[in-house]
Amino acid sequence: YVKNKEKFAIAVSGGSDSMCLAFFAARYALSHNNKIHTLIIDHKLRKESSIEATKVKKILTKNNIKSNILTWKGKTPKSNVQLNARNIRYSLLSEYCYKKNIKNLIVAHHVDDQIENFFIRLIRGSGLSGLASMSEISNYNDNLKIIRPFLDFKKEDLKHVTKSVFKNFISDPSNKNKKFLRVRIRNY
């Protein structure tokens, strides 16, 4: 996905899948002489978000992975929270990558995310092409390539690696909030 000596960024939320990505991406960067930019987003959506972002940074630092926290400074969305959080996240990530002339952003979407997206799109009446969901490589704003190397892996497998390497990870309480469609589908 990324050439030798080419810089790239990864998005790390602190969840088991993105922590697994941080582990493998750091190893890849080391063995291929790449400069890696590990990015943590603080959406400021919950009062604990800054504490959690700092905790993720400390876990990564303890494992010799340098990271940067990108903090949202705009208005906190009150409706369509998950969609707006996603837009905020990609806005912060792409702005950082643009400033640093980074062409590749790697994210930790996995097969479970694919299944969730399929059902969300099915429920919303998506057409056949919309049901295809995420691709391994896509473009964002024409200047950034989004790479998803874990689409063939189950979250449980990624969690196993994370527990073995980091011993812990962050559990976002919004991932249990049943007011969100994604959570209801995940639980189903």
Side-chain angles (χ1 to χ4, degrees):
Y1 302 109
V2 178
K3 297 173 187 161
N4 289 352
K5 299 182 182 179
E6 186 176 25
K7 59 186 168 181
F8 64 93
I10 63 169
V12 177
S13 67
S16 60
D17 43 356
S18 69
M19 294 299 281
C20 182
L21 175 65
F23 171 72
F24 284 118
R27 298 312 169 269
Y28 179 88
L30 190 62
S31 66
H32 291 84
N33 205 17
N34 298 90
K35 171 126 172 83
I36 183 175
H37 294 254
T38 303
L39 307 175
I40 303 162
I41 303 296
D42 180 1
H43 294 86
K44 296 287 187 185
L45 292 175
R46 293 177 293 105
K47 60 184 177 182
E48 309 87 12
S49 68
S50 296
I51 294 166
E52 290 169 357
T54 301
K55 184 177 179 181
V56 172
K57 185 175 179 71
K58 285 180 182 176
I59 293 168
L60 293 170
T61 300
K62 184 179 173 184
N63 288 274
N64 298 315
I65 301 171
K66 292 180 184 177
S67 61
N68 294 301
I69 298 174
L70 307 180
T71 304
W72 174 246
K73 292 178 175 46
K75 288 184 179 180
T76 303
K78 301 294 181 205
S79 62
N80 292 326
V81 175
Q82 288 195 326
L83 174 64
N84 285 315
R86 180 187 183 279
N87 291 339
I88 288 168
R89 187 167 49 253
Y90 277 98
S91 171
L92 288 168
L93 292 166
S94 66
E95 184 179 313
Y96 178 93
C97 289
Y98 179 76
K99 286 179 181 175
K100 300 288 184 178
N101 196 30
I102 297 169
K103 304 293 183 202
N104 299 296
L105 172 66
I106 303 175
V107 296
H109 293 128
H110 44 78
V111 72
D112 302 60
D113 292 325
Q114 285 280 51
I115 294 166
E116 288 171 12
N117 276 350
F118 174 83
F119 283 109
I120 287 170
R121 290 174 180 195
L122 185 65
I123 288 168
R124 291 184 175 156
S126 181
L128 200 52
S129 63
L131 293 176
S133 203
M134 294 177 274
S135 60
E136 204 167 35
I137 298 174
S138 61
N139 291 315
Y140 183 83
N141 287 348
D142 295 327
N143 62 345
L144 186 62
K145 186 170 34 171
I146 307 292
I147 302 168
R148 299 175 183 91
F150 289 164
L151 288 181
D152 291 330
F153 295 90
K154 294 180 182 178
K155 183 176 184 77
E156 201 56 41
D157 296 331
L158 304 177
K159 188 186 288 186
H160 177 75
V161 171
T162 298
K163 284 181 177 179
S164 297
V165 173
F166 297 106
K167 309 299 181 232
N168 62 1
F169 54 89
I170 302 295
S171 294
D172 183 346
S174 64
N175 287 331
K176 291 181 173 49
N177 189 335
K178 292 183 181 178
K179 79 176 184 177
F180 299 122
L181 177 61
R182 179 171 304 282
V183 173
R184 291 193 308 271
I185 287 173
R186 186 177 297 152
N187 288 336
Y188 177 72

